[in-house]
């Protein structure tokens, strides 16, 4: 998977005036220095979240108001959503098929391609590696296996900072014999918790769909 798999799309709409500097502590840990005179470790994740993936026993299903859908052209997956709250647009960005604009400055992306990945544990490692390389600060908060609309998926929730702006992300990651897909929703980190119920409902609209072969060509009867 390419680095822009985790492209921070919203950043293109915002002024990026903050300055980021990095330093190394006496113990050899890398820190990021922010404009407000605070600092953070560059990679400050919960060790349990990094090392393990817990099994969430709950069943996650599509919301009844999620009646509209977009389907991937690359993989047999779709995102069902509430058309009264979410707008969709085809993406011109490489590897990202659809962009979603939700209520109160919530954004989301659907990515799908035919890269075959053996298991979801490897998906987690690749996603974390890509985000770390693309951002100034990263913190993984949650890492779970979930059953979503009857399919086993990986759930990740993390914070990432780029150019002084904190975003929080939550997403589902799915693999099958044909490839890999993910749907990720995000907003400003300070607002994420208040908006999480809407984000969760949106994510639960992600599902695998049955492949529909094209109809056979029509035969023209002989006269």
């Amino acid at each position: 998977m390419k680095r822009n798999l985790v492209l921070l799309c919203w950043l293109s709409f915002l002024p990026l005036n903050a300055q980021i500097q990095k330093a190394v502590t006496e113990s050899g840990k890398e820190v990021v220095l922010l404009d407000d005179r605070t600092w953070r470790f560059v990679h400050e994740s919960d060790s349990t979240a990094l090392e393990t993936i817990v099994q969430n026993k709950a069943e996650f299903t599509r919301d009844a108001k999620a009646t509209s859908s977009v389907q991937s052209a690359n993989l047999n997956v779709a995102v069902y959503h509430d058309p009264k709250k979410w707008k969709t647009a085809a993406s011109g960005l490489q590897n990202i098929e659809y962009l979603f604009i939700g209520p109160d400055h919530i954004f989301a992306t659907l990515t799908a391609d035919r890269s075959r990945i053996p298991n979801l544990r490897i998906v987690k490692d690749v996603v974390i590696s890509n985000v770390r390389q693309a951002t100034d600060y990263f913190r993984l908060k949650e890492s779970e296996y979930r059953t979503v609309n009857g399919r086993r998926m990986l759930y990740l929730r993390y914070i990432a900072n780029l150019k002084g702006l904190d975003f929080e992300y939550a997403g589902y990651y799915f693999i099958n014999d044909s490839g890999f897909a993910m749907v990720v929703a995000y907003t400003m980190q300070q607002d994420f918790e208040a908006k999480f119920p809407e984000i969760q409902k949106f994510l639960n609209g992600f599902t695998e769909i049955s492949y529909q072969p094209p109809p056979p060509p029509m035969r023209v009867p002989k006269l």
Side-chain angles (χ1 to χ4, degrees):
M1 291 178 294
K2 298 183 180 179
R3 194 168 174 180
N4 59 10
L5 199 65
V6 289
L7 186 67
L8 307 179
C9 301
W10 196 18
L11 294 176
S12 61
F13 299 101
L14 296 175
L16 304 181
N17 299 320
Q19 297 297 314
I20 291 290
Q21 297 181 16
K22 291 184 178 180
V24 179
T25 67
E26 292 182 358
S27 60
K29 292 186 177 181
E30 192 176 15
V31 297
V32 60
L33 309 176
L34 303 177
D35 270 356
D36 61 3
R37 299 177 184 269
T38 62
W39 62 272
R40 301 171 181 170
F41 290 113
V42 172
H43 305 311
E44 188 185 18
S45 299
D46 180 272
S47 60
T48 302
L50 276 176
E51 295 171 8
T52 64
I53 305 176
V54 300
Q55 178 66 57
N56 191 322
K57 295 182 179 180
E59 298 278 339
F60 296 86
T61 57
R62 190 175 94 200
D63 185 74
K65 294 182 180 179
T67 56
S68 216
S69 70
V70 295
Q71 298 182 13
S72 168
N74 297 325
L75 209 66
N76 54 327
V77 295
V79 177
Y80 286 82
H81 56 278
D82 184 346
K84 294 182 179 180
K85 293 184 177 180
W86 289 85
K87 307 297 181 185
T88 65
S91 168
L93 301 169
Q94 186 178 7
N95 289 342
I96 295 178
E97 286 195 83
Y98 287 97
L99 303 176
F100 302 85
I101 302 175
D104 300 323
H105 303 289
I106 304 172
F107 301 87
T109 61
L110 170 65
T111 299
D113 65 39
R114 295 193 172 275
S115 299
R116 296 191 179 184
I117 305 175
N119 57 63
L120 290 172
R121 176 73 218 197
I122 294 177
V123 170
K124 176 184 175 180
D125 293 342
V126 172
V127 169
I128 289 175
S129 176
N130 284 350
V131 177
R132 279 178 163 174
Q133 292 179 51
T135 59
D136 297 305
Y137 166 81
F138 166 81
R139 179 189 171 199
L140 180 65
K141 296 180 71 173
E142 292 182 77
S143 175
E144 296 181 348
Y145 291 123
R146 291 185 176 185
T147 301
V148 184
N149 298 309
R151 297 293 185 268
R152 187 169 185 262
M153 298 189 187
L154 172 68
Y155 169 78
L156 298 178
R157 179 174 170 180
Y158 59 89
I159 300 170
N161 179 290
L162 186 62
K163 303 298 184 183
L165 298 172
D166 280 331
F167 294 86
E168 190 157 349
Y169 298 75
Y172 285 142
Y173 303 80
F174 173 73
I175 57 175
N176 62 18
D177 291 340
S178 299
F180 162 83
M182 69 181 192
V183 60
V184 179
Y186 53 96
T187 191
M188 296 297 292
Q189 195 274 326
Q190 63 189 16
D191 302 322
F192 190 93
E193 201 62 47
K195 299 174 182 179
F196 184 68
E198 185 62 43
I199 289 172
Q200 182 69 80
K201 282 195 292 186
F202 173 80
L203 292 176
N204 288 343
F206 185 45
T207 185
E208 184 180 32
I209 57 176
S210 299
Y211 172 69
Q212 299 291 335
M218 296 182 61
R219 292 185 179 181
V220 179
K222 294 181 180 180
L223 298 178

